[in-house]
Amino acid sequence: MDFIVNILALGIPFSVALLLASIGEMFNQRSGIFNLGCEGIMAMGAFIGLLVPYSVGKGGPTPEVFNFFGILAGAGVGALLGLFFGLVVITFKAKQGIAGIGMQMFCVGTAGTLFRHFVGGTQSVPGIDKLDIPFLADIPVLGPILFSHNILVYIAFLFVPLSVYILFKTPWGLRVRAVGTYPRAADSLGINVNRVRFQALAVGGALAGLAGAYLSLCQAKMYSDEMIAGRGFIAVALVYFGHWDPIKIMWGALLFSLAQSFQLAIQGQGINFPYEFAVMLPYVLVILTLAFSRDKKKQEPAALGVPFDREKRT
Amino acid sequence: MNKRFKLIYKTSIIFLAVIATLMIGSIILLTINADIFKTYAVILTEPLKNKIQFTEVIIRSVPLAIIALGITVAYRSGTINIGAEGQMAMGILTSTAAALAFHSVPRPLNIVIIVTAGAIGGGIWGFIPGILKAKLQVSELLSTVMLNYIAAQFYTFFLRGPLIDPAELTMGSGTPQSMRLEKTVWLNRLIKGTRLHSGIFLVFVLAIVVYLVIWKTSFGYKLRAAGASKKAARYGGINVTFFIAISMVITGAFSGIAGSVEILGVHHRAIEGVTSGYGFSGLVVALFGGLHPAGIIPASFLFGLLIVGADMTQRMVGVPANMVQVLQGTIILVIVAAQQVLNDKYLMDKVWKKFHKEEV
C-alpha cells in the first residue's frame, strides 16, 4: 500500500511540467502553429527561473517571494520566445517543423551559454518547498497523494478547467480555434489571423516557460543542460495523445509521470532491472502512444502547420 | 522583371540573412559581456592557424558531412530526420561489436564488414521512424527525437554491460568503454602527429554516390517526386510509402557509417560522448549546404571550424562553447525563414514594382 501511495504522491508533482507545457502547446496547435521549440523554451524558462532567486541570494537564503518572481520571469521569457518563434513562422512563413528544431537548439544553447556566465557550475537553490494543507494533509492515503504538494501543483491543475473555459467559452478561444481550423473564414469575419496566432504563441510560450521554471525551482532545485530531458518533445506528443483536449491531455500527463515515478519506485525497491531500460520507458511509451492512438487525423486542427496569407489562394 | 534585378534581390536577402545571424549571436555575446569581434575572429580564424587544429577541423567535418548527406536523402523525400544522433550511436555499437567479433579476417574485408555493420545498426534505427511514418502517420520529428533518447540509454547500457572492456572491470576504474579495437582495422593516419585519417576519402565517395543516385537514377527521381508532392507522386504511380521508409533507412545507414568511421579513424574504441551533437549539427550542415552534396562538403568544413573554434573561444575569450549551439540554432531559423522569402515570387514581384513604378 505504501508503495502505491508513494508512486502516486511522486507522480502528481512530476506531471506538472508536462501538463503546463502541453497545455501551452495545445494553444499553439489549436491556432495552427506546430511549435517544436517547446523543449528549448522550457530550458530558457528553467534557467531564468533559477537565475532570479540565485542572483538575489547568491546561493544563500533568499526571501521566498523571489522564487515567485523567478517563476514569473520564466513565464515572461517563454512568452517572448513564443513571439520570436512567431516572427519566424508567421511573419516569414518558415516551415514550422524544422524551424522548431532551430528554436530548440537556439534556446538550449542560449540557456547553456548564459548559465555558464552568470551562474557557473552546478548550484542548488532553496527553491519552493511543498506545502502541507492543514488537516487535509494528515488524512491517511489521500493526504500525501493530494494535499501535500507545493503551491504550483495546485495552480497547474487549475489551468486545466481554466483552459477548457478559455478555449470553448470565450470569444478569444473561439478565435483561436477558428484560425487553426479555417483561417480564411476567420479572416473574412474580420479576425486578424496572424495576430491571434501571435497571441496563442505568447500564451503557449509563457506556459512552457512556466513549466521550465517549475522544473528548476520546485523539482530539481538546480539547473543543468540536460534537465529538460525531452519533456518538451513529450509535451508535444501528449497534445496528439490527448486529441487537443485539455482534460485528455491531463490524463496523458498523469500517465507518463506515473510511469516515471513507477520506474523510480522500482529502483528504490532494489529490484534488479537495468537502470537504462527503466529510463527508456517513457520515451518508448511516447512512440507507442503516437503509433496506436487511432483516428488522430480527424481531430487535428485543419490548418495545423499551414501559414496564412490573405493575398494567396489556398 | 529582369535577371539583374533577380540576382540583386536574392543576394541582398542572403546578405541580410547573414547579418541577422551575426546580430542575434551578438545579442547573446553582449549579454555575457564578451568582445563580439574578437569572439567571431577567434571562432573563424584561430583553428586555421596551426596544423593540428586545422586537421581537427577536418576530422570534425567528416562525420558531419556523412550525416548531412544522409539527411539530404531523407529531406528530399519529404521527411526530416533529426534522429541522426541516435542512429550514429547504434551504428557505433553494432560496428564495435562486429570489430570485436571478427578476428582472423583480412584487413580490407574486415573494415568493410565493420562499416557495413554500422550501416545496418543505424539503418535499423532509421527504419523504425520510417515505417511508423509511412504506415501509421507518426510524425518522424517526434519519433526520431524519442529514439535519440532511447539510443543514448542503449549506448550507455552496452558500454557499461555487455561491451565493457574486461580490463576496466578487473583492474581499471570501471570507465564505460569498450575494448580497444585491433590495430589492423584502424584507418590510416594521413599526416604524422595528427589524427587526420583516411575516412575523409569516404566522404567524397559517398557524396558522389548520393549525387548520382538522387539526381541521375529513376529511383532518385521517384524519391524526390515523393518529397515534392505526395499526391502527385501517388497519382503518377509511385509507391510513396516505400520511398518514405527507404529514405529513412538510408539516412540511418549514413549516420551509422559516420559512427563507425569515427570509431575506426579517431577513437579506436567505443567511448561515451562520441556522438556529441553531430546529429543536430549534421542537420544544420545539410540545410546550409543547400541539401546538395556539392554544398554539403564546404558546409561541413565551415561547421567543423565552428565546433573547433567554439572550443577555443572558451579558453581564449571566455565565451562558453555552448555558443556554437546558439549559432547553429540561429542559422537554422534564418535559413528556413530566408528560403521562404527567396521562393516567394509574389513578394519579389511586389518589390520589383516598388522600384519601377514609373515603368509600369
Side-chain angles (χ1 to χ4, degrees):
Chain A
M1 193 66 200
D2 267 1
F3 183 66
I4 297 172
V5 171
N6 248 337
I7 292 179
L8 289 172
L10 262 179
I12 287 177
F14 275 167
S15 69
V16 168
L18 285 178
L19 182 64
L20 288 172
S22 48
I23 286 183
E25 180 69 24
M26 182 210 63
F27 276 108
N28 292 344
Q29 296 202 6
R30 280 277 188 177
S31 81
I33 306 283
F34 177 74
N35 184 0
L36 206 56
C38 184
E39 171 96 2
I41 298 179
M42 283 174 83
M44 274 302 276
F47 164 67
I48 297 291
L50 178 122
L51 182 68
V52 171
Y54 172 80
S55 51
V56 172
K58 284 286 172 220
T62 337
E64 184 77 0
V65 64
F66 285 104
N67 287 325
F68 290 97
F69 285 151
I71 297 270
L72 288 179
V77 164
L80 285 180
L81 288 168
L83 292 175
F84 176 56
F85 188 66
L87 178 74
V88 177
V89 298
I90 299 173
T91 312
F92 287 109
K93 304 187 182 68
K95 298 243 165 58
Q96 295 174 3
I98 188 82
I101 296 297
M103 190 70 193
Q104 183 248 341
M105 290 173 78
F106 171 73
C107 292
V108 172
T110 306
T113 308
L114 298 182
F115 173 73
R116 273 166 190 69
H117 184 260
F118 288 111
V119 182
T122 317
Q123 285 285 351
S124 63
V125 288
I128 298 170
D129 278 322
K130 67 177 184 178
L131 180 87
D132 289 330
I133 296 178
F135 308 117
L136 289 175
D138 299 329
I139 304 172
V141 185
L142 279 184
I145 296 178
L146 293 180
F147 302 114
S148 177
H149 301 301
N150 64 65
I151 182 107
L152 265 122
V153 175
Y154 306 109
I155 295 176
F157 278 89
L158 276 181
F159 270 111
V160 178
L162 185 66
S163 59
V164 172
Y165 176 77
I166 290 176
L167 200 58
F168 297 105
K169 303 284 176 197
T170 64
W172 186 73
L174 181 63
R175 271 182 236 137
V176 167
R177 285 183 291 138
V179 300
T181 314
Y182 200 168
R184 183 155 299 276
D187 183 58
S188 70
L189 287 173
I191 296 172
N192 187 334
V193 173
N194 287 347
R195 184 192 290 164
V196 174
R197 286 183 168 176
F198 266 112
Q199 289 164 347
L201 272 175
V203 170
L207 284 169
L210 192 62
Y214 172 85
L215 280 177
S216 66
L217 282 177
C218 303
Q219 200 163 309
K221 303 193 174 165
M222 52 162 268
Y223 175 85
S224 76
D225 285 342
E226 292 87 26
M227 74 178 297
I228 311 295
R231 284 189 184 85
F233 295 114
I234 295 180
V236 177
L238 276 177
V239 177
Y240 283 77
F241 175 77
H243 290 184
W244 295 269
D245 175 22
I247 294 176
K248 285 186 197 157
I249 287 173
M250 178 187 77
W251 294 124
L254 281 171
L255 177 75
F256 276 93
S257 50
L258 288 180
Q260 201 190 351
S261 64
F262 178 71
Q263 165 234 318
L264 285 178
I266 280 198
Q267 281 173 45
Q269 296 281 310
I271 294 168
N272 193 12
F273 184 69
Y275 164 75
E276 289 86 2
F277 287 93
V279 177
M280 255 180 234
L281 198 73
Y283 306 115
V284 177
L285 208 57
V286 169
I287 295 181
L288 289 179
T289 50
L290 283 176
F292 297 108
S293 58
R294 281 277 158 198
D295 58 66
K296 49 185 174 281
K297 280 284 156 201
K298 268 183 222 157
Q299 309 185 25
E300 188 175 287
L304 183 58
V306 187
F308 176 68
D309 188 343
R310 69 189 312 182
E311 293 174 352
K312 264 188 200 143
R313 286 212 234 160
T314 36
Chain B
M1 217 182 308
N2 56 21
K3 260 192 184 154
R4 204 170 128 246
F5 171 74
K6 271 185 191 169
L7 191 73
I8 294 171
Y9 177 79
K10 291 200 167 173
T11 33
S12 52
I13 285 176
I14 291 167
F15 182 70
L16 284 178
V18 173
I19 299 283
T21 311
L22 293 176
M23 288 263 288
I24 296 175
S26 306
I27 292 173
I28 308 292
L29 288 174
L30 268 183
T31 331
I32 62 171
N33 267 328
D35 186 333
I36 295 167
F37 290 102
K38 206 173 165 198
T39 309
Y40 284 130
V42 167
I43 290 181
L44 293 175
T45 61
E46 203 61 37
L48 303 176
K49 284 186 182 155
N50 78 47
K51 190 175 80 177
I52 293 189
Q53 300 294 352
F54 188 80
T55 53
E56 284 296 312
V57 171
I58 298 174
I59 291 168
R60 298 290 195 297
S61 62
V62 168
L64 283 179
I66 298 178
I67 289 175
L69 286 169
I71 288 175
T72 300
V73 175
Y75 214 104
R76 292 279 173 186
S77 81
T79 48
I80 303 172
N81 176 25
I82 48 177
E85 193 90 17
Q87 290 147 7
M88 185 175 173
M90 296 312 271
I92 292 171
L93 283 182
T94 48
S95 49
T96 311
L100 296 175
F102 294 99
H103 288 291
S104 46
V105 185
R107 176 182 154 88
L109 182 64
N110 206 353
I111 291 182
V112 171
I113 290 176
I114 294 168
V115 174
T116 315
I120 292 172
I124 292 173
W125 219 241
F127 174 72
I128 301 171
I131 196 73
L132 285 175
K133 159 120 183 170
K135 293 280 179 198
L136 294 166
Q137 287 87 44
V138 175
S139 158
E140 80 281 13
L141 289 164
L142 290 172
S143 61
T144 48
V145 168
M146 292 301 138
L147 283 166
N148 279 346
Y149 290 106
I150 296 171
Q153 295 303 326
F154 261 115
Y155 194 71
T156 42
F157 170 74
F158 275 97
L159 286 195
R160 281 182 194 155
L163 277 180
I164 195 169
D165 188 352
E168 281 291 334
L169 287 179
T170 50
M171 45 212 231
S173 51
T175 314
Q177 57 181 23
S178 78
M179 240 163 76
R180 206 184 178 106
L181 305 185
E182 285 172 49
K183 274 203 168 126
T184 52
V185 299
W186 294 5
L187 297 177
N188 294 328
R189 294 265 149 105
L190 297 180
I191 302 173
K192 240 192 172 161
T194 68
R195 301 199 293 172
L196 186 65
H197 54 83
S198 54
I200 185 170
F201 300 120
L202 188 65
V203 173
F204 293 103
V205 173
L206 288 175
I208 293 167
V209 169
V210 165
Y211 173 70
L212 290 178
V213 170
I214 300 297
W215 277 274
K216 300 289 165 195
T217 64
S218 73
F219 173 85
Y221 174 76
K222 287 175 187 164
L223 191 140
R224 283 183 293 129
S229 167
K230 243 178 234 171
K231 271 185 196 161
R234 200 170 283 140
Y235 187 69
I238 292 170
N239 186 348
V240 176
T241 323
F242 168 77
F243 281 98
I244 288 175
I246 198 76
S247 70
M248 284 303 271
V249 173
I250 294 173
T251 70
F254 271 69
S255 311
I257 291 173
S260 25
V261 169
E262 195 70 359
I263 291 299
L264 295 179
V266 182
H267 301 288
H268 301 150
R269 59 166 32 136
I271 53 171
E272 283 193 320
V274 177
T275 54
S276 65
Y278 280 133
F280 283 101
S281 308
L283 180 69
V284 192
V285 171
L287 281 176
F288 197 81
L291 299 165
H292 192 287
I296 283 173
I297 289 178
S300 69
F301 182 79
L302 180 68
F303 283 87
L305 182 69
L306 210 62
I307 293 173
V308 176
D311 272 341
M312 304 183 85
T313 56
Q314 192 143 24
R315 270 174 283 139
M316 299 181 68
V317 277
V319 173
N322 303 55
M323 197 59 209
V324 68
Q325 212 180 0
V326 177
L327 290 175
Q328 286 178 343
T330 313
I331 288 169
I332 293 190
L333 288 171
V334 170
I335 287 179
V336 289
Q339 252 173 5
Q340 231 45 37
V341 177
L342 280 177
N343 293 336
D344 196 339
K345 293 208 175 80
Y346 184 76
L347 187 73
M348 192 153 78
D349 207 42
K350 251 189 184 165
V351 178
W352 166 257
K353 277 179 188 152
K354 204 166 245 174
F355 283 111
H356 296 80
K357 259 193 190 129
E358 60 281 5
E359 291 171 36
V360 177

